[in-house]
Amino acid sequence: MGLFVLFNWAEGTVDENEPAPPPPSTLVAPPPPPAALSTSMLSFRRFPTVLSRELNISDFEQAVVPFLATLNDRSCAAVSVDGILIGARNPDLAVIPASNQKLVIAAAALDVLGTETRLTTSVSAAAAPVDGVINGDLFLVGGGDPLLSSDWYPTSNLERYAVLSPTSLDTLADAVRDAGITQISGGVVGDGSRYDDEFFAPGWGVGVAGLEAGPYDALMVNDSRVLNDDQRASDPNEGGAREFTRMLQERGIAIEGEASSGRATPEATVIASIESAPVAEIIAEMLANSDNNTAELLMKEIGLVGEGIGSREAGARVMAAKLDEWGLDTTNIVLSDGSGLSLDNRLTCAAILAVLQRHGPSSALGLGLPIAGETGTLRDIFTNQSVAGRLMGKTGTLNNPPFNADPPAVKALSGFLPVEGGTAVEYSLILNGPTISDQSEYRPIWNGLAEALDTYPSGASPAQLGPR
């Protein structure tokens, strides 16, 4: 009996070498998987874009074609869905495009320069500073950055639209101070030699140069404006040097010489530099604000990268070659400038539509376009229509005093109307006519275009027809 009691006691004790029992589990069972799609792999629902287009294309054509018939013989228009032409009016007629020219600039810049490329502005001297002193001139060397701005400029209200994605010249001035520079025995020299010295493009109408665009060069600060100067600088390089001189002096740097324009020596020592936003953002600024100076500088940069020549003519040749490479008919196309201000430019709606189809609304080009009723040059347009917040488009305007003589006035609008589910309508409308830039004449046409585009899809959208 004693042995039995001892055995039971021994069985009830815990061996100190025995592991403790595991704690209760805190794991939570995963939620049940979602119900599997019941749509067969061979179902038409696997191709919702195609299915929606087939169901809606006939009704859309019936809405678009009557609108196109209302346009005059000097204008052109073309509408497509996912690259499939729905209707057109004079699509191959070479017309004056106004700022729709910037769509070609954007497409060429993205292809030739690349979306992530940045443009560098640098500060250099003939020799490294000694004890904080630069013996000679300090060079402000332009890299073709069209958005180089003093911190005061974007909020100055001197331009119709504030600069987007500016490159801070103040930050560059800070970098010179932080490099230990305290004195410059010479002056600040603005160097725009990256490009030629054509400050204005030919073919511009009366009153355009210096107001709508220019002067511009590879060094351009604040669109050639200097703080407290009522006029733009006649030489953008000298104007940039004056503005930078002011900034350096405000930071305690003594400068003995005057601001001027010139060229840095090839062996110059770089003291500081600053990079622009990526090309994709520069293009977005150009399209949203219809920035003429940005377009002109991009055209020269396209020429520099494509041919090694920073000129408008070189840029035009590279752009024309790109259009040929993309399979566009360039027979009657004339690329005279980047901004579209030149009355010599000629484009076709077929070419513009092809450029849009090549990119799409979610590309860098598409995302840079103004949005109806919300941003850029479309901020106050279509505000009370159902396309507000959806329609994306590049505007264009040229007046033509006197109205009763050629060349005609221009009003243009080209872009996208995205549709839920991943498809999009592409459209190009370029109106040429004696008084077409008058609101009473073009706005009813624009409204008619918006109403016609908004009929697509009249039935089920791709989002509604996708797999279930």
Side-chain angles (χ1 to χ4, degrees):
M1 177 65 92
L3 288 174
F4 178 74
V5 171
L6 181 62
F7 174 78
N8 282 329
W9 173 82
E11 283 292 296
T13 61
V14 178
D15 187 343
E16 64 181 4
N17 295 319
E18 187 176 300
S25 175
T26 59
L27 295 177
V28 179
L37 295 176
S38 59
T39 302
S40 163
M41 290 299 295
L42 299 179
S43 170
F44 281 115
R45 283 189 177 275
R46 296 291 177 180
F47 308 96
T49 320
V50 176
L51 180 57
S52 175
R53 192 167 59 235
E54 291 301 314
L55 290 174
N56 293 294
I57 202 166
S58 178
D59 288 345
F60 190 40
E61 184 177 348
Q62 291 179 34
V64 168
V65 171
F67 162 76
L68 297 175
T70 66
L71 304 181
N72 67 38
D73 291 336
R74 304 189 70 173
S75 301
C76 70
V79 177
S80 62
V81 177
D82 297 335
I84 298 176
L85 187 66
I86 302 301
R89 168 77 166 167
N90 303 325
D92 298 317
L93 178 66
V95 296
I96 303 175
S99 281
N100 269 207
Q101 182 93 344
K102 294 182 177 77
L103 291 168
V104 180
I105 291 288
L110 289 169
D111 192 296
V112 176
L113 309 182
T115 58
E116 297 302 318
T117 298
R118 297 172 185 264
L119 305 172
T120 303
T121 304
S122 61
V123 176
S124 63
V130 177
D131 297 329
V133 178
I134 291 177
N135 184 21
D137 294 325
L138 183 76
F139 295 93
L140 178 61
V141 183
D145 183 354
L147 307 182
L148 188 61
S149 305
S150 306
D151 288 354
W152 61 265
Y153 183 59
T155 57
S156 65
N157 295 320
L158 288 172
E159 304 295 334
R160 188 177 302 128
Y161 301 99
V163 178
L164 305 175
S165 304
T167 308
S168 173
L169 189 65
D170 288 71
T171 299
L172 186 58
D174 289 341
V176 173
R177 177 200 59 200
D178 295 344
I181 306 301
T182 58
Q183 184 179 347
I184 301 168
S185 68
V188 176
V189 179
D191 181 351
S193 60
R194 182 179 182 86
Y195 303 154
D196 64 5
D197 286 330
E198 182 186 81
F199 296 166
F200 305 98
W204 290 357
V206 177
V208 170
L211 294 176
E212 297 292 333
Y216 48 76
D217 206 347
L219 175 64
M220 182 183 68
V221 178
N222 306 330
D223 293 302
S224 299
R225 292 187 182 275
V226 179
L227 185 64
N228 298 324
D229 192 334
D230 293 335
Q231 303 295 322
R232 297 182 196 271
S234 57
D235 179 343
N237 304 296
E238 185 270 343
R242 273 195 286 140
E243 180 72 351
F244 201 55
T245 296
R246 178 188 65 79
M247 289 181 172
L248 295 179
Q249 289 174 334
E250 285 181 350
R251 287 159 175 78
I253 299 174
I255 303 175
E256 297 179 14
E258 299 294 323
S260 62
S261 63
R263 180 177 294 209
T265 58
E267 304 81 17
T269 299
V270 176
I271 295 168
S273 64
I274 191 167
E275 291 187 334
S276 71
V279 163
E281 291 185 33
I282 295 175
I283 285 171
E285 194 273 347
M286 174 187 70
L287 295 175
N289 291 352
S290 200
D291 192 319
N292 296 316
N293 286 335
T294 297
E296 297 298 348
L297 264 63
L298 282 175
M299 188 174 193
K300 292 191 178 189
E301 187 68 19
I302 289 168
L304 182 67
V305 174
E307 283 193 358
I309 304 171
S311 71
R312 177 182 51 83
E313 295 93 340
R317 290 191 295 269
V318 174
M319 289 163 59
K322 279 297 170 186
L323 295 179
D324 282 330
E325 179 184 318
W326 299 337
L328 277 67
D329 182 3
T330 59
T331 304
N332 297 316
I333 287 177
V334 178
L335 304 173
S336 181
D337 69 2
S339 60
L341 291 171
S342 174
L343 299 170
D344 298 328
N345 289 315
R346 293 294 183 273
L347 279 174
T348 65
C349 282
I352 293 291
L353 197 70
V355 167
L356 294 170
Q357 292 168 349
R358 181 178 176 82
H359 288 267
S362 60
S363 67
L365 184 152
L367 294 175
L369 291 173
I371 299 173
E374 292 187 359
T375 61
T377 58
L378 282 179
R379 183 177 55 204
D380 301 321
I381 310 296
F382 303 127
T383 54
N384 297 320
Q385 294 182 244
S386 57
V387 296
R390 299 166 50 225
L391 184 137
M392 311 156 72
K394 179 70 200 77
T395 57
T397 305
L398 280 178
N399 298 315
N400 70 325
F403 75 90
N404 56 352
D406 276 346
V410 183
K411 201 67 186 181
L413 182 65
S414 300
F416 306 99
L417 182 62
V419 177
E420 184 184 13
T423 191
V425 176
E426 304 100 359
Y427 68 92
S428 179
L429 172 67
I430 304 178
L431 304 172
N432 281 195
T435 56
I436 200 66
S437 59
D438 189 281
Q439 282 203 37
S440 64
E441 190 165 341
Y442 81 82
R443 286 300 287 270
I445 300 175
W446 278 22
N447 290 338
L449 172 68
E451 290 168 4
L453 298 181
D454 199 31
T455 64
Y456 187 84
S458 56
S461 69
Q464 294 169 319
L465 293 173
R468 298 288 187 267

